[in-house]
Amino acid sequence: MKWFFQTHDGFGDIDQSSSAEAFSGHSVRDLATAIVREGIQNSLDAKPADGKAPVRVRLTLGTCAGDPAQVNGRWFGDLIPHLQVEDVGAPNHPAIDEACEYLLFEDFNTKGLIGDYRARYVPGEENNFVNFMYHDGITGKSEQKLGSRGVGKIVFTMASRARVVFACTVRQGDADNRPLLVGKNLLKFRQVGGELYKGRSYFLDRCDKGEPREPVQAAEQIALFRGDFPITRGTESGLSLVIPFIDETITAERLRHAIVSEYHYAILSGRLVVELDNRGEVERFSADHVPEIGDAEVDARVKLTRWAVSCDEPTLVTDAPDAGQPQRLTGSQLPESVRASVEQALNQRTPVAVRLNLHVHPRDADPVPTYFDVFMELSDRHYGRPMFIRELLPVTDVRDAKAAPQVRALVVIEHEPLASLLRAAEGANHTDWSPRTDKFLEKYVGRRGEISFVATSVSQLVDLVRGRADEPVGGIATQFFSAVKDKRDPVTRGQGKGRSGNEPDQMPEIEPTEREESGYDFREIQDGFSIRHRDGRPLPKRITVRVAYDVLRGSPWSQYDPADFDLRKTRSDVRIVSSHAEVKRVEPGNRLVISPLAEGFEVVATGFDPRRDLIIDHRDTDKSRKKRKEDAGDRQTDQLHEPQTADA
């Protein structure tokens, strides 16, 4: 057994694509999370179809015993000269006499790397062993698996300072349950000792030109490997990965955080058990034990998920849009009884589950009815996007998703027709959905809106509940959600990223105000607003402004928190720039008093969070006082939750 290197004659093509992806600083920012995501995804995919026991994954951090020079010489001796080449892709390569710290990633109740490792490659044929070990960008998984791109496995070599991963597998169906061992190294194209080498090399028993690669399988050699890297697998089928010279950023604390934050749904649903062995200290994550990890948002998600998995099938169900038509959630799909029940749950601060129906549109078949489930709860200080779970896999960066203020939500897609569509719409990292992937374009009719339906389901559902309520939801005026406002209105609601800007079917009547007499113009800009002198109008004496982020319940003014932004601070994300005007930043931190000094004055405020809806109350204070004297209490802003003067 030894390392086999692939030479290059200097005339053929040079492919650095896999190496470039592996060594790009932008490819993976958090190696611990990437290993947990990719490794557990692969393990869940490898569960036998008839398997009843949950998949068990064990992660072990340790250090090889014995003399480092002997251990490293045994497994890396021939590789060290390649690692020492400048700009080869191993900038922090290990020394031959350095103690080897490792991470073992093992799965159980799985099939192992099945497939004929001596067979020639056949496009489309499932051969997990060959595709996992030897082919980058080619998956050995069927279309029904959680992941199906074949590139995420590069993370295992990235996690090693030697860019090495060993795979020791016992395969379901092998009569003798004999372990097979293969090592893989991924570097850049290089020259060593006057010879040119391709990027990949392999640790094998034999590799004759024109013949299949032969894994290490002699019992004494496997025992020697186990002696240096204490794999816990006996004769059970499954896969044990060994990542030697583990990157220093991969710690037990980060692995623990990743296990809980990424896979708490799979664990709580009873389909996954994870063990973390930190040099002899073992913690077991199961349906009975998903601990708090000191991350308030993750801990809150776990709590919501624990409730969700305990629920029966949702009894609150929306109607599906018509097949063959764009799939959108509108008021006509939301029965009044469902709307009222969701409203009541939010008002009473109890979790609520809703099943949303829709159709998917395969290219070569009739539209197929399908569904997904949404679990929601009210959370006063939550403004994040929902978390999405597609068949146990967390899809963590759905860019079309929109937040519903003060609503934490879990979206679960497990029904096969919709899960298959979304799987086809995922990129290599399985973190987002797009209708422009090759697989989606091959299999589904475009412009039917299924992805957008799922991504925006929570915000759209909450908006429908708010906007159609006979009484305000949590004290929020109904018109606040349905009226499309003139940007010159004294109270303006910034759109943020969470609003489509589409007008409602019917626009409510709004009592006119004296906007035309104002001596200034108000403008919404990308992440804030501007106020400037209106040409030809008298100069205002004083303009008062107050700002707050939208909330689901109660008044945004009373719930303003200086932790969100504080206009009194001159050094912060929110910036105030003025010309020909004096600007006072007054208590409690969300108010400005603007005194124009000359014609052409302008005040610009930027740096507000574009993901949250912004409300700006602005008015000419002198005119407001005169108006109040003429008709006290008559002036009421149609968009404010609680009428309140902005005077400082």
Side-chain angles (χ1 to χ4, degrees):
M1 58 179 184
K2 65 175 184 178
W3 285 99
F4 290 87
F5 302 95
Q6 302 181 82
T7 59
H8 193 280
D9 60 12
F11 295 102
D13 294 340
I14 298 175
D15 180 10
Q16 292 274 54
S17 57
S18 295
S19 299
E21 180 171 358
F23 308 126
S24 167
H26 301 288
S27 52
V28 174
R29 298 182 183 276
D30 181 351
L31 280 170
T33 299
I35 286 174
V36 169
R37 273 186 62 85
E38 178 67 18
I40 293 181
Q41 173 187 303
N42 289 342
S43 299
L44 292 171
D45 282 338
K47 182 178 180 178
D50 58 352
K52 296 182 180 180
V55 170
R56 180 168 66 91
V57 170
R58 185 178 180 91
L59 291 85
T60 304
L61 289 166
T63 305
C64 290
D67 180 64
Q70 291 184 3
V71 172
N72 296 341
R74 190 156 40 241
W75 307 111
F76 311 104
D78 294 340
L79 186 61
I80 293 296
H82 292 257
L83 299 177
Q84 294 172 339
V85 175
E86 185 177 358
D87 193 30
V88 77
N92 190 24
H93 62 80
I96 189 67
D97 58 352
E98 177 183 339
C100 179
E101 296 188 347
Y102 58 78
L103 171 66
L104 307 184
F105 192 110
E106 303 181 84
D107 61 41
F108 302 86
N109 300 323
T110 55
K111 296 181 291 186
L113 293 179
I114 59 175
D116 184 356
Y117 58 82
R118 295 188 177 93
R120 292 182 178 274
Y121 172 69
V122 177
E125 185 173 291
E126 186 171 3
N127 189 331
N128 288 44
F129 190 103
V130 170
N131 289 331
F132 183 85
M133 292 308 307
Y134 306 138
H135 300 158
D136 294 324
I138 297 175
T139 179
K141 304 176 185 178
S142 70
E143 293 298 323
Q144 282 67 47
K145 300 301 184 181
L146 301 189
S148 54
R149 297 290 174 176
V151 295
K153 60 196 176 189
I154 291 176
V155 70
F156 300 122
T157 53
M158 290 173 62
S160 166
R161 290 166 45 225
R163 302 300 189 236
V164 168
V165 61
F166 290 100
C168 185
T169 185
V170 175
R171 293 123 55 84
Q172 185 184 61
D174 282 1
D176 54 4
N177 292 329
R178 180 172 50 188
L180 304 177
L181 174 67
V182 175
K184 180 175 182 176
N185 168 251
L186 180 60
L187 298 172
K188 295 181 181 179
F189 185 88
R190 60 199 178 275
Q191 185 176 32
V192 179
E195 191 78 58
L196 296 175
Y197 292 94
K198 299 178 183 179
R200 301 168 187 81
S201 51
Y202 298 96
F203 188 87
L204 301 161
D205 182 65
R206 195 169 66 253
C207 185
D208 298 329
K209 189 173 182 179
E211 297 294 327
R213 299 177 176 102
E214 290 290 335
V216 177
Q217 46 191 313
E220 63 275 15
Q221 294 173 329
I222 297 293
L224 189 62
F225 185 80
R226 287 178 180 272
D228 291 331
F229 301 100
I231 294 172
T232 62
R233 180 178 313 284
T235 59
E236 313 100 317
S237 63
L239 174 64
S240 297
L241 296 177
V242 178
I243 305 174
F245 300 106
I246 194 72
D247 189 279
E248 63 183 7
T249 65
I250 301 172
T251 64
E253 182 181 1
R254 290 186 176 183
L255 291 170
R256 185 175 189 264
H257 187 284
I259 291 165
V260 174
S261 63
E262 296 289 321
Y263 282 101
H264 59 267
Y265 179 83
I267 295 170
L268 288 169
S269 65
R271 287 173 278 183
L272 174 67
V273 173
V274 182
E275 298 167 352
L276 177 59
D277 181 348
N278 181 23
R279 305 178 189 279
E281 295 184 8
V282 181
E283 183 174 15
R284 180 183 173 91
F285 303 84
S286 67
D288 298 325
H289 177 71
V290 178
E292 293 187 353
I293 57 174
D295 183 319
E297 178 55 30
V298 173
D299 293 339
R301 290 180 178 181
V302 171
K303 183 178 179 181
L304 175 61
T305 302
R306 185 175 282 112
W307 174 82
V309 300
S310 71
C311 292
D312 295 328
E313 289 192 0
T315 57
L316 302 179
V317 181
T318 66
D319 298 329
D322 292 339
Q325 299 299 314
Q327 302 295 288
R328 297 190 182 97
L329 179 61
T330 65
S332 61
Q333 278 85 52
L334 184 64
E336 173 58 24
S337 60
V338 175
R339 187 207 66 76
S341 296
V342 174
E343 176 191 7
Q344 182 180 26
L346 293 177
N347 277 334
Q348 295 179 351
R349 295 179 175 271
T350 58
V352 61
V354 183
R355 175 160 291 177
L356 285 77
N357 285 293
L358 71 159
H359 292 87
V360 297
H361 299 80
R363 280 195 175 276
D364 301 324
D366 293 334
V368 180
T370 186
Y371 63 86
F372 62 98
D373 296 330
V374 171
F375 304 88
M376 302 187 297
E377 66 177 359
L378 188 71
S379 178
D380 288 333
R381 296 198 54 77
H382 180 76
Y383 298 94
R385 293 181 294 185
M387 48 179 176
F388 296 88
I389 304 292
R390 194 263 300 159
E391 302 169 296
L392 303 184
L393 177 69
V395 184
T396 55
D397 189 23
V398 180
R399 298 180 185 180
D400 288 341
K402 298 179 180 180
Q406 294 182 291
V407 174
R408 179 177 291 106
L410 167 66
V411 179
V412 178
I413 306 102
E414 297 216 49
H415 194 229
E416 178 57 29
L418 182 58
S420 293
L421 178 144
L422 295 176
R423 190 186 314 116
E426 288 169 13
N429 292 329
H430 302 282
T431 58
D432 189 19
W433 297 312
S434 169
R436 293 180 292 277
T437 66
D438 290 344
K439 287 191 175 182
F440 186 92
L441 293 172
E442 290 170 1
K443 296 183 177 183
Y444 294 95
V445 178
R447 300 183 181 275
R448 290 296 183 267
E450 299 98 337
I451 295 173
S452 179
F453 187 106
V454 177
T456 63
S457 57
V458 173
S459 62
Q460 185 68 5
L461 178 59
V462 172
D463 278 355
L464 288 171
V465 168
R466 292 166 168 173
R468 295 184 60 203
D470 294 328
E471 298 294 334
V473 178
I476 297 178
T478 302
Q479 280 190 326
F480 178 85
F481 299 98
S482 59
V484 177
K485 311 308 296 176
D486 188 315
K487 289 187 178 181
R488 296 174 297 172
D489 197 331
V491 178
T492 306
R493 177 171 175 265
Q495 289 185 357
K497 289 185 178 178
R499 298 293 172 188
S500 64
N502 294 334
E503 296 188 4
D505 295 333
Q506 292 185 346
M507 186 165 159
E509 294 293 332
I510 300 173
E511 188 173 343
T513 63
E514 295 182 316
R515 303 168 188 161
E516 295 77 14
E517 297 183 7
S518 175
Y520 66 91
D521 285 320
F522 176 90
R523 295 282 186 274
E524 292 181 30
I525 55 180
Q526 183 175 4
D527 57 351
F529 62 89
S530 69
I531 293 175
R532 66 176 64 183
H533 183 217
R534 180 179 294 177
D535 292 341
R537 301 300 302 172
L539 203 64
K541 290 185 179 180
R542 188 169 77 155
I543 304 168
T544 56
V545 181
R546 60 178 175 167
V547 188
Y549 288 127
D550 179 21
V551 295
L552 176 60
R553 297 175 61 93
S555 164
W557 313 120
S558 63
Q559 295 189 44
Y560 160 72
D561 188 339
D564 291 333
F565 62 86
D566 191 337
L567 302 181
R568 296 168 296 179
K569 296 181 179 180
T570 57
R571 293 184 179 181
S572 67
D573 292 337
V574 177
R575 299 169 297 282
I576 310 295
V577 180
S578 64
S579 62
H580 303 300
E582 178 186 0
V583 180
K584 293 182 179 179
R585 307 161 184 252
V586 297
E587 298 291 342
N590 67 333
R591 302 193 181 200
L592 300 174
V593 178
I594 302 170
S595 299
L597 302 177
E599 293 184 0
F601 79 89
E602 183 175 15
V603 177
V604 179
T606 58
F608 294 97
D609 188 345
R611 298 169 297 180
R612 297 172 64 179
D613 290 326
L614 190 66
I615 305 171
I616 307 105
D617 175 14
H618 56 92
R619 63 189 71 183
D620 184 330
T621 309
D622 187 58
K623 288 185 178 295
S624 297
R625 285 174 176 167
K626 291 179 181 179
K627 179 64 176 175
R628 285 197 301 270
K629 288 180 180 179
E630 295 172 359
D631 190 5
D634 184 61
R635 186 180 187 277
Q636 181 177 358
T637 305
D638 54 61
Q639 284 190 322
L640 287 179
H641 297 200
E642 291 182 359
Q644 197 178 122
T645 179
D647 294 352

